[in-house]
């Protein structure tokens, strides 16, 4: 415990001494603080001769052993949410925020023998290169642009099912899927071959096509985490709404009218 003995030289020293004394008395009364941090500002105000430490007492200076730790700095790279996001974009295994273990992305099997596309001409080596190129992309917007460049959509010309109004049909376009080869050529493949070669489902493909704004394969970027700030309500509209509410009859509370000035809408208004 820290002992103190004052040597007061004036009113200013008395005020500072009372502040230090109150801090020490509070710590002693609580009994939870065994070490008292002596700040240099107290020494500057009181003087070194105004505060004495006994032979058997201990004073802890700032920066020494037992001093309060500095505030932690945020490190977004170590956040679990960001680590899971980076692992998911890279196709690696990770643990979701709910504790579910998600396996790493892998190339799926080829399509069946009855496929009518040119899937047989696309080698396993090219499949691995496309898979690696897709998961090297940094974020989901880049992945959407990659998928959009490999999918071509055309309006349906001939329908096998009779539809009275073509605008009400669920399917409006037909999609054709392509995979790039080492010689910069694109091979048309089926949907199963396309998704299994990239180790994905049809959901990111549908999202990429949905976000494609025009025929030039321009994909709108992701807006996650970029939500605009909420705009303030117009004062005129707020005042109009307030006056409209005040037109309804209001009554005082039946149980706490003495201690409250809040008014309530009469229950007969809903009848």
């Amino acid at each position: 415990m820290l002992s103190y003995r004052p040597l007061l030289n004036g009113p200013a020293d008395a005020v500072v001494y009372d502040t230090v004394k109150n801090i020490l008395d509070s710590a002693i009364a609580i009994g939870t603080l065994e070490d008292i941090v002596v700040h240099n500002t107290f020494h500057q105000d009181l003087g070194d001769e105004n505060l004495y430490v006994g032979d058997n007492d201990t004073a802890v200076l700032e920066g020494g052993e037992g001093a309060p730790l500095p505030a932690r700095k945020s490190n977004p790279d170590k956040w679990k949410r960001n680590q899971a996001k980076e692992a998911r974009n890279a196709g690696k295994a990770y643990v979701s925020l709910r504790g579910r273990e998600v396996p790493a992305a892998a190339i799926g099997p080829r399509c069946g023998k009855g496929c009518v596309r040119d899937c047989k001409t696309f080698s396993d080596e090219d499949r691995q290169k496309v898979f690696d190129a897709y998961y090297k992309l940094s974020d989901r917007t880049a992945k959407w642009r990659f998928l959009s460049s490999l999918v071509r959509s055309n309006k349906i010309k001939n329908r096998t099912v009779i539809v009275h109004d073509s605008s009400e049909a669920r399917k409006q376009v037909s999609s054709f899927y392509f995979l790039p080869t080492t010689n910069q050529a694109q091979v048309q493949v089926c949907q199963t071959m396309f998704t299994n070669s990239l180790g994905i489902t049809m959901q990111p493909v549908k999202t990429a096509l949905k976000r494609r704004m025009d025929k030039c394969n321009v994909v709108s970027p992701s807006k996650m985490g970029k939500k605009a700030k909420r705009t303030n309500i117009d004062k005129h509209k707020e005042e109009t709404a307030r006056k409209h509410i005040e037109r309804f009859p209001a009554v005082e509370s039946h149980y706490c009218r003495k201690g409250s000035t809040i008014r309530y809408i009469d229950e007969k208004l809903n009848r």
Side-chain angles (χ1 to χ4, degrees), residues 18 28-29 39-40 90-91 109 119 142 169 196 208 212 227:
D18 291 339
I28 295 172
H39 297 277
N40 294 330
C119 302
N196 288 356
R212 187 160 58 185
K227 186 177 180 180

Side-chain angles (χ1 to χ4, degrees), residues 214-234:
D214 50 30
K215 296 182 180 180
C216 299
N217 292 333
V218 178
V219 178
S220 60
S222 176
K223 296 182 180 180
M224 294 186 62
K226 300 179 181 179
K227 186 177 180 180
K229 294 183 179 179
R230 182 180 178 182
T231 57
N232 295 329
I233 302 176
D234 187 8

Side-chain angles (χ1 to χ4, degrees), residues 37-95:
V37 179
V38 180
H39 297 277
N40 294 330
T41 55
F42 291 153
H43 289 285
Q44 295 175 1
D45 295 336
L46 288 174
D48 293 338
E49 70 279 1
N50 292 338
L51 188 64
Y52 291 87
V53 179
D55 297 335
N56 298 326
D57 300 331
T58 302
V60 182
L61 299 178
E62 282 186 331
E65 183 180 357
L69 298 177
R72 293 187 303 172
K73 296 182 179 180
S74 62
N75 189 0
D77 295 336
K78 294 185 178 181
W79 294 353
K80 292 183 179 180
R81 184 186 299 274
N82 293 343
Q83 290 179 350
K85 184 188 299 183
E86 292 179 359
R88 181 172 61 252
N89 290 336
K92 301 178 181 179
Y94 66 94
V95 179

Side-chain angles (χ1 to χ4, degrees), residues 154-160 166 169-174:
N154 298 326
K155 291 185 178 181
I156 297 177
K157 297 181 179 180
N158 300 321
R159 295 182 181 274
T160 57
S166 59
R170 184 177 63 177
K171 185 175 181 180
Q172 296 293 331
V173 296
S174 294

